[in-house]
């Protein structure tokens, strides 16, 4: 590979393609993508931020990113999906969000200040610009992402969906459509899903693209700083010329100077 073909750390990540296939005769939707290139950008991002993702949190976050992308691809283009999976064991919150129009997915794991509870919770929010967000929450009984998503589909979406890893980091979600052959879907094995194009009649419906990308900037994080500024800029900076602000969605830390903050306040006021 020549140097012009390599992807420097700060370059915009390259998207992966997610294919939607209709399984004729079974009335099911198969959504498939190889996430390996997206996970390369994922690791470059954490490396850039000096953050090490340790197991089991790394796998939980990677699986949640894959699942929310596959789910988004089964849904209308204009919807943005944000999920928070509160696991009680291991105790953590996994946050992921994906949008088909923005062609992006981002997320992070929180392990500090997570409340202990008798059971976990799967919280989902669907947003369409100009409309009130739709929310739903179901108990999370599993310590793994894919069974939790399958349970969420049964309880909240009220239809069946299953997720398979057909090759390393290559995932397929199969979800029931009206008049689905549920017996077939329930008994599907990973081997059968791997050979789906030989065993079943598939038609390609569409392809979408997603990249691991937040799109945050100091300006976009500014509204979240409002409660901190309430006591005055002096209180926030404590005599320092700049503070560090962290994006809640992707964990990116940026330096914010008093001058930048005052400038943003002026622009908001004007
Ligand atoms: Zn961000």
């Amino acid at each position: 590979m020549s140097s012009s073909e390599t992807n420097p750390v700060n370059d915009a990540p390259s998207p992966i393609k997610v294919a939607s296939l209709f399984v004729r005769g079974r009335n099911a939707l198969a959504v498939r993508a190889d996430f390996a290139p997206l996970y390369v950008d994922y690791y470059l991002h954490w490396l850039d931020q000096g953050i090490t993702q340790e197991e089991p949190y790394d796998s939980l976050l990677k699986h949640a990113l894959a699942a929310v992308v596959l789910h988004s691809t089964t849904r209308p283009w204009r919807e943005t999906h944000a999920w928070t999976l509160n696991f009680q064991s291991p105790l953590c919150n996994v946050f992921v969000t994906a949008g088909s129009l923005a062609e992006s997915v981002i997320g992070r794991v929180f392990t500090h200040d997570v409340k202990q509870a008798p059971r976990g919770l799967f919280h989902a929010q669907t947003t369409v610009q100009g409309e009130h967000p739709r929310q739903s929450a179901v108990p999370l009984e599993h310590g793994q992402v894919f069974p939790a998503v399958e349970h969420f589909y049964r309880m909240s979406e009220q239809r069946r969906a299953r997720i398979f890893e057909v090759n390393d980091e290559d995932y397929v979600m199969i979800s029931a459509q009206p008049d689905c052959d549920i017996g077939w879907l329930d008994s599907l094995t990973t081997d059968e899903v791997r050979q789906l194009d030989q065993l079943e009649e598939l038609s390609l419906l569409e392809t979408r693209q997603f990249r691991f990308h937040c799109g945050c900037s100091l300006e976009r994080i500014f509204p979240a700083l409002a409660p901190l500024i309430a006591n005055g800029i002096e209180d926030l900076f404590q005599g320092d010329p700049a503070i560090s602000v962290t994006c809640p969605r992707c964990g990116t830390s940026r330096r914010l100077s008093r001058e930048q903050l005052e400038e943003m306040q002026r622009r908001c006021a004007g």
Side-chain angles (χ1 to χ4, degrees):
M1 191 183 278
S2 75
S3 62
S4 63
E5 287 169 314
T6 56
N7 190 15
V9 172
N10 292 321
D11 254 15
S14 42
I16 56 161
K17 285 189 163 52
V18 189
S20 285
L21 304 144
F22 189 67
V23 189
R24 302 169 75 115
R26 308 291 189 182
N27 290 333
L29 188 66
V31 180
R32 178 174 184 166
D34 176 5
F35 282 81
L38 189 138
Y39 291 152
V40 171
D41 292 324
Y42 164 95
Y43 284 116
L44 288 174
H45 170 76
W46 299 120
L47 195 67
D48 222 17
Q49 292 306 312
I51 295 170
T52 310
Q53 295 288 354
E54 286 170 3
E55 289 296 351
Y57 309 109
D58 186 49
S59 291
L60 290 174
L61 181 52
K62 283 164 66 185
H63 286 173
L65 291 165
V68 78
V69 162
L70 296 174
H71 171 67
S72 296
T73 305
T74 70
R75 302 288 310 166
W77 278 81
R78 61 201 192 110
E79 291 182 356
T80 298
H81 298 273
W83 290 351
T84 301
L85 285 74
N86 167 247
F87 290 100
Q88 288 297 309
S89 177
L91 190 64
C92 65
N93 284 330
V94 177
F95 168 79
V96 288
T97 179
S100 293
L101 289 177
E103 299 188 330
S104 64
V105 63
I106 197 73
R108 62 188 286 215
V109 179
F110 300 88
T111 53
H112 296 292
D113 302 323
V114 182
K115 275 202 187 116
Q116 280 192 308
R119 49 166 53 167
L121 194 72
F122 190 125
H123 180 269
Q125 178 171 296
T126 306
T127 315
V128 173
Q129 203 170 15
E131 293 177 16
H132 215 66
R134 293 198 309 273
Q135 318 235 17
S136 59
V138 301
L140 194 158
E141 314 277 1
H142 302 271
Q144 292 180 331
V145 172
F146 294 159
V149 173
E150 292 173 2
H151 182 68
F152 167 75
Y153 259 77
R154 268 178 200 258
M155 304 293 289
S156 183
E157 300 277 305
Q158 308 211 324
R159 62 195 172 102
R160 204 82 98 246
R162 296 183 64 198
I163 302 176
F164 301 86
E165 183 167 17
V166 288
N167 288 307
D168 207 19
E169 302 181 336
D170 185 350
Y171 303 107
V172 179
M173 176 193 256
I174 303 190
S175 56
Q177 302 298 300
D179 298 322
C180 176
D181 183 346
I182 295 291
W184 169 80
L185 179 52
D186 279 347
S187 66
L188 264 179
T189 65
T190 303
D191 256 348
E192 288 168 342
V193 177
R194 200 175 284 130
Q195 305 171 62
L196 203 64
D197 49 355
Q198 288 126 58
L199 299 174
E200 301 292 337
E201 195 186 338
L202 306 176
S203 36
L204 179 66
L205 297 178
E206 60 167 322
T207 307
R208 300 189 192 181
Q209 301 197 122
F210 288 86
R211 60 201 167 116
F212 187 74
H213 177 71
C214 181
C216 59
S217 61
L218 278 176
E219 283 72 19
R220 290 185 70 169
I221 297 172
F222 179 66
L225 295 175
L228 301 174
I229 305 167
N231 290 335
I233 287 186
E234 210 53 62
D235 217 50
L236 186 61
F237 281 83
Q238 308 247 333
D240 290 331
I243 53 164
S244 176
V245 292
T246 303
C247 171
R249 289 156 44 104
C250 72
T252 296
S253 283
R254 293 181 177 83
R255 298 295 287 169
L256 173 67
S257 69
R258 291 181 67 118
E259 292 72 32
Q260 283 173 306
L261 183 62
E262 283 162 359
E263 170 62 24
M264 282 192 276
Q265 277 184 311
R266 265 196 301 278
R267 260 186 279 157
C268 280

